[in-house]
Amino acid sequence: MLRLIQKFSLMYAFYLAMYAFLMFPLLNYDRISGPDTENPIYIFYQGGFLIWMVLGALWAHENMEHKTNAYRFLRTLPLGGIKIIGAKFTLVFMSVFLFIVYQSGMIRILTGSAQLATATWQYLCVLGSLCLILAGLAYMGIYRFGFVVFGKLLLGIWMLLFLSPILLRQFILPPLKLTVDDVLGFVTGLNWVAVSLIGTALFWAMLPLAARINIHGKV
């Protein structure tokens, strides 16, 4: 499976590198030079970037697989479908984990605030659990309906979720008389360990289902 992970890792590595070396420095300039380096509102936007990274890499990789008819070739190899799909699931899980570790660690280094880093970790663990479930559902949708059909829906969902922090802050929270602090307080107040365990368990439970659908699917 290690070779499959290496083969499938291009887009995930690209998205992680683009975030770590381009987007993160641009977004965090005020973490170093700004007057309020510990403003918690920053945490609110990280869920969108986590989803952007994972679902974006997933979509880009599956688009590439579709264009090259990769699944047709993979089915000729002496590999079980569970290993092929398992490698893809492993990459999603690793990407979520690395993003959370990198984001929380860098916030701790840049701000020197253990409290802000902990809040970032808790918030992203909850959002990461949601991201894992979305990724598992995305793979099942692609295998069931084909990338041509489901890929368009996934692209729309990806863009909407990436913009969701802005949409929530500008259009949804004000009529409900809620603030970003209310959202942060609710999410970070959850038991992030339990949520992470449940989200991870559901994600890996989708693996055999996705592999079964892939055998009879349209990709």
Side-chain angles (χ1 to χ4, degrees):
M1 184 182 289
L2 181 59
R3 294 201 175 200
L4 285 174
I5 293 174
Q6 292 173 338
K7 172 180 169 54
F8 298 152
S9 64
L10 176 62
M11 286 300 173
Y12 291 92
F14 173 75
Y15 271 74
L16 275 169
M18 185 161 60
Y19 180 80
F21 298 113
L22 177 62
M23 300 180 73
F24 182 85
L26 291 175
L27 293 166
N28 286 275
Y29 178 76
D30 62 341
R31 298 301 109 188
I32 302 172
S33 63
D36 188 5
T37 60
E38 298 184 19
N39 189 344
I41 195 172
Y42 169 77
I43 305 173
F44 180 66
Y45 292 97
Q46 297 315 298
F49 285 100
L50 174 60
I51 293 171
W52 169 85
M53 186 271 297
V54 175
L55 294 189
L58 189 157
W59 184 91
H61 175 72
E62 291 304 313
N63 183 45
M64 184 171 60
E65 298 277 76
H66 169 70
K67 289 182 177 179
T68 58
N69 290 317
Y71 281 100
R72 183 177 301 176
F73 169 73
L74 289 171
R75 289 184 180 119
T76 66
L77 300 176
L79 297 169
I82 195 75
K83 289 186 178 180
I84 295 171
I85 311 306
K88 294 174 181 281
F89 271 57
T90 300
L91 275 169
V92 169
F93 183 81
M94 290 173 58
S95 296
V96 171
F97 178 75
L98 290 174
F99 184 98
I100 294 173
V101 171
Y102 173 82
Q103 188 73 41
S104 304
M106 289 301 294
I107 291 301
R108 179 68 175 89
I109 293 171
L110 292 178
T111 66
S113 171
Q115 182 178 359
L116 187 62
T118 300
T120 300
W121 174 272
Q122 294 172 339
Y123 185 78
L124 289 181
C125 280
V126 174
L127 269 293
S129 301
L130 174 62
C131 196
L132 288 176
I133 294 172
L134 290 174
L137 292 173
Y139 270 121
M140 289 196 290
I142 290 171
Y143 298 151
R144 174 61 181 85
F145 302 105
F147 183 80
V148 173
V149 175
F150 196 82
K152 295 177 182 178
L153 176 62
L154 179 59
L155 183 61
I157 293 173
W158 173 54
M159 295 177 64
L160 181 63
L161 290 176
F162 175 56
L163 296 174
S164 61
I166 297 175
L167 298 176
L168 279 170
R169 187 182 181 191
Q170 297 297 327
F171 303 108
I172 298 177
L173 294 179
L176 298 175
K177 300 186 184 304
L178 296 174
T179 66
V180 170
D181 289 336
D182 294 323
V183 176
L184 289 173
F186 172 77
V187 176
T188 57
L190 296 173
N191 187 326
W192 66 270
V193 176
V195 173
S196 298
L197 290 175
I198 293 171
T200 301
L202 289 174
F203 173 68
W204 288 112
M206 294 183 197
L207 171 56
L209 296 175
R212 192 178 309 164
I213 295 171
N214 176 251
I215 296 175
H216 306 289
K218 299 183 179 182
V219 293

